[in-house]
PDB file of all heavy atoms in Angstrom:
ATOM      1  N   ASN A  57      12.653  -9.303 -27.994  1.00  0.00           N
ATOM      2  CA  ASN A  57      13.820  -8.442 -27.851  1.00  0.00           C
ATOM      3  C   ASN A  57      13.517  -7.278 -26.923  1.00  0.00           C
ATOM      4  O   ASN A  57      12.416  -6.729 -26.912  1.00  0.00           O
ATOM      5  CB  ASN A  57      14.249  -7.892 -29.217  1.00  0.00           C
ATOM      6  CG  ASN A  57      14.806  -8.968 -30.128  1.00  0.00           C
ATOM      7  OD1 ASN A  57      15.392  -9.941 -29.642  1.00  0.00           O
ATOM      8  ND2 ASN A  57      14.630  -8.797 -31.430  1.00  0.00           N
ATOM      9  N   GLY A  58      14.521  -6.882 -26.161  1.00  0.00           N
ATOM     10  CA  GLY A  58      14.405  -5.681 -25.356  1.00  0.00           C
ATOM     11  C   GLY A  58      14.947  -4.482 -26.113  1.00  0.00           C
ATOM     12  O   GLY A  58      15.586  -4.629 -27.162  1.00  0.00           O
ATOM     13  N   ARG A  59      14.714  -3.291 -25.595  1.00  0.00           N
ATOM     14  CA  ARG A  59      15.268  -2.089 -26.212  1.00  0.00           C
ATOM     15  C   ARG A  59      16.778  -2.052 -26.023  1.00  0.00           C
ATOM     16  O   ARG A  59      17.318  -2.499 -25.009  1.00  0.00           O
ATOM     17  CB  ARG A  59      14.658  -0.839 -25.571  1.00  0.00           C
ATOM     18  CG  ARG A  59      13.218  -0.508 -25.928  1.00  0.00           C
ATOM     19  CD  ARG A  59      13.042   0.256 -27.219  1.00  0.00           C
ATOM     20  NE  ARG A  59      13.908   1.393 -27.398  1.00  0.00           N
ATOM     21  CZ  ARG A  59      13.522   2.681 -27.304  1.00  0.00           C
ATOM     22  NH1 ARG A  59      12.272   2.975 -26.972  1.00  0.00           N
ATOM     23  NH2 ARG A  59      14.370   3.652 -27.545  1.00  0.00           N
ATOM     24  N   LYS A  60      17.471  -1.491 -27.015  1.00  0.00           N
ATOM     25  CA  LYS A  60      18.922  -1.330 -26.943  1.00  0.00           C
ATOM     26  C   LYS A  60      19.257  -0.268 -25.903  1.00  0.00           C
ATOM     27  O   LYS A  60      18.601   0.761 -25.809  1.00  0.00           O
ATOM     28  CB  LYS A  60      19.476  -0.931 -28.304  1.00  0.00           C
ATOM     29  CG  LYS A  60      20.990  -0.741 -28.320  1.00  0.00           C
ATOM     30  CD  LYS A  60      21.472  -0.325 -29.709  1.00  0.00           C
ATOM     31  CE  LYS A  60      22.983  -0.100 -29.689  1.00  0.00           C
ATOM     32  NZ  LYS A  60      23.472   0.335 -31.027  1.00  0.00           N
ATOM     33  N   VAL A  61      20.315  -0.531 -25.125  1.00  0.00           N
ATOM     34  CA  VAL A  61      20.754   0.399 -24.091  1.00  0.00           C
ATOM     35  C   VAL A  61      22.119   0.955 -24.475  1.00  0.00           C
ATOM     36  O   VAL A  61      23.093   0.200 -24.645  1.00  0.00           O
ATOM     37  CB  VAL A  61      20.841  -0.296 -22.712  1.00  0.00           C
ATOM     38  CG1 VAL A  61      21.273   0.707 -21.644  1.00  0.00           C
ATOM     39  CG2 VAL A  61      19.510  -0.936 -22.355  1.00  0.00           C
ATOM     40  N   GLN A  62      22.224   2.257 -24.632  1.00  0.00           N
ATOM     41  CA  GLN A  62      23.488   2.899 -24.970  1.00  0.00           C
ATOM     42  C   GLN A  62      24.370   3.019 -23.732  1.00  0.00           C
ATOM     43  O   GLN A  62      23.891   3.084 -22.614  1.00  0.00           O
ATOM     44  CB  GLN A  62      23.228   4.288 -25.571  1.00  0.00           C
ATOM     45  CG  GLN A  62      22.423   4.261 -26.854  1.00  0.00           C
ATOM     46  CD  GLN A  62      22.142   5.650 -27.416  1.00  0.00           C
ATOM     47  OE1 GLN A  62      22.750   6.627 -26.999  1.00  0.00           O
ATOM     48  NE2 GLN A  62      21.203   5.729 -28.359  1.00  0.00           N
ATOM     49  N   GLN A  63      25.678   3.043 -23.942  1.00  0.00           N
ATOM     50  CA  GLN A  63      26.680   3.116 -22.870  1.00  0.00           C
ATOM     51  C   GLN A  63      26.626   1.897 -21.951  1.00  0.00           C
ATOM     52  O   GLN A  63      27.112   1.924 -20.831  1.00  0.00           O
ATOM     53  CB  GLN A  63      26.520   4.385 -22.017  1.00  0.00           C
ATOM     54  CG  GLN A  63      26.611   5.685 -22.777  1.00  0.00           C
ATOM     55  CD  GLN A  63      26.421   6.909 -21.898  1.00  0.00           C
ATOM     56  OE1 GLN A  63      26.675   8.035 -22.326  1.00  0.00           O
ATOM     57  NE2 GLN A  63      25.967   6.706 -20.668  1.00  0.00           N
ATOM     58  N   SER A  64      25.997   0.819 -22.417  1.00  0.00           N
ATOM     59  CA  SER A  64      25.812  -0.362 -21.583  1.00  0.00           C
ATOM     60  C   SER A  64      27.102  -1.157 -21.438  1.00  0.00           C
ATOM     61  O   SER A  64      27.965  -1.134 -22.320  1.00  0.00           O
ATOM     62  CB  SER A  64      24.736  -1.264 -22.191  1.00  0.00           C
ATOM     63  OG  SER A  64      24.620  -2.477 -21.481  1.00  0.00           O
ATOM     64  N   ASP A  65      27.207  -1.875 -20.306  1.00  0.00           N
ATOM     65  CA  ASP A  65      28.322  -2.804 -20.132  1.00  0.00           C
ATOM     66  C   ASP A  65      27.943  -4.211 -20.577  1.00  0.00           C
ATOM     67  O   ASP A  65      28.735  -5.149 -20.431  1.00  0.00           O
ATOM     68  CB  ASP A  65      28.776  -2.831 -18.669  1.00  0.00           C
ATOM     69  CG  ASP A  65      27.703  -3.381 -17.734  1.00  0.00           C
ATOM     70  OD1 ASP A  65      26.545  -3.583 -18.180  1.00  0.00           O
ATOM     71  OD2 ASP A  65      28.013  -3.588 -16.539  1.00  0.00           O
ATOM     72  N   GLY A  66      26.725  -4.376 -21.110  1.00  0.00           N
ATOM     73  CA  GLY A  66      26.282  -5.670 -21.584  1.00  0.00           C
ATOM     74  C   GLY A  66      25.875  -6.625 -20.485  1.00  0.00           C
ATOM     75  O   GLY A  66      25.696  -7.819 -20.732  1.00  0.00           O
ATOM     76  N   GLY A  67      25.702  -6.113 -19.286  1.00  0.00           N
ATOM     77  CA  GLY A  67      25.400  -6.961 -18.152  1.00  0.00           C
ATOM     78  C   GLY A  67      23.922  -7.233 -17.945  1.00  0.00           C
ATOM     79  O   GLY A  67      23.056  -6.763 -18.701  1.00  0.00           O
ATOM     80  N   ALA A  68      23.623  -7.988 -16.887  1.00  0.00           N
ATOM     81  CA  ALA A  68      22.254  -8.437 -16.621  1.00  0.00           C
ATOM     82  C   ALA A  68      21.330  -7.290 -16.248  1.00  0.00           C
ATOM     83  O   ALA A  68      20.143  -7.300 -16.596  1.00  0.00           O
ATOM     84  CB  ALA A  68      22.269  -9.476 -15.496  1.00  0.00           C
ATOM     85  N   ILE A  69      21.846  -6.283 -15.535  1.00  0.00           N
ATOM     86  CA  ILE A  69      20.994  -5.166 -15.119  1.00  0.00           C
ATOM     87  C   ILE A  69      20.453  -4.431 -16.335  1.00  0.00           C
ATOM     88  O   ILE A  69      19.253  -4.144 -16.437  1.00  0.00           O
ATOM     89  CB  ILE A  69      21.763  -4.198 -14.208  1.00  0.00           C
ATOM     90  CG1 ILE A  69      22.115  -4.874 -12.882  1.00  0.00           C
ATOM     91  CG2 ILE A  69      20.946  -2.929 -13.963  1.00  0.00           C
ATOM     92  CD1 ILE A  69      20.943  -5.220 -12.012  1.00  0.00           C
TER      93      ILE A  69
END
Side-chain angles (χ1 to χ4, degrees):
N57 292 329
R59 287 276 313 254
K60 180 181 178 181
V61 181
Q62 299 178 14
Q63 302 179 168
S64 174
D65 65 351
I69 294 294

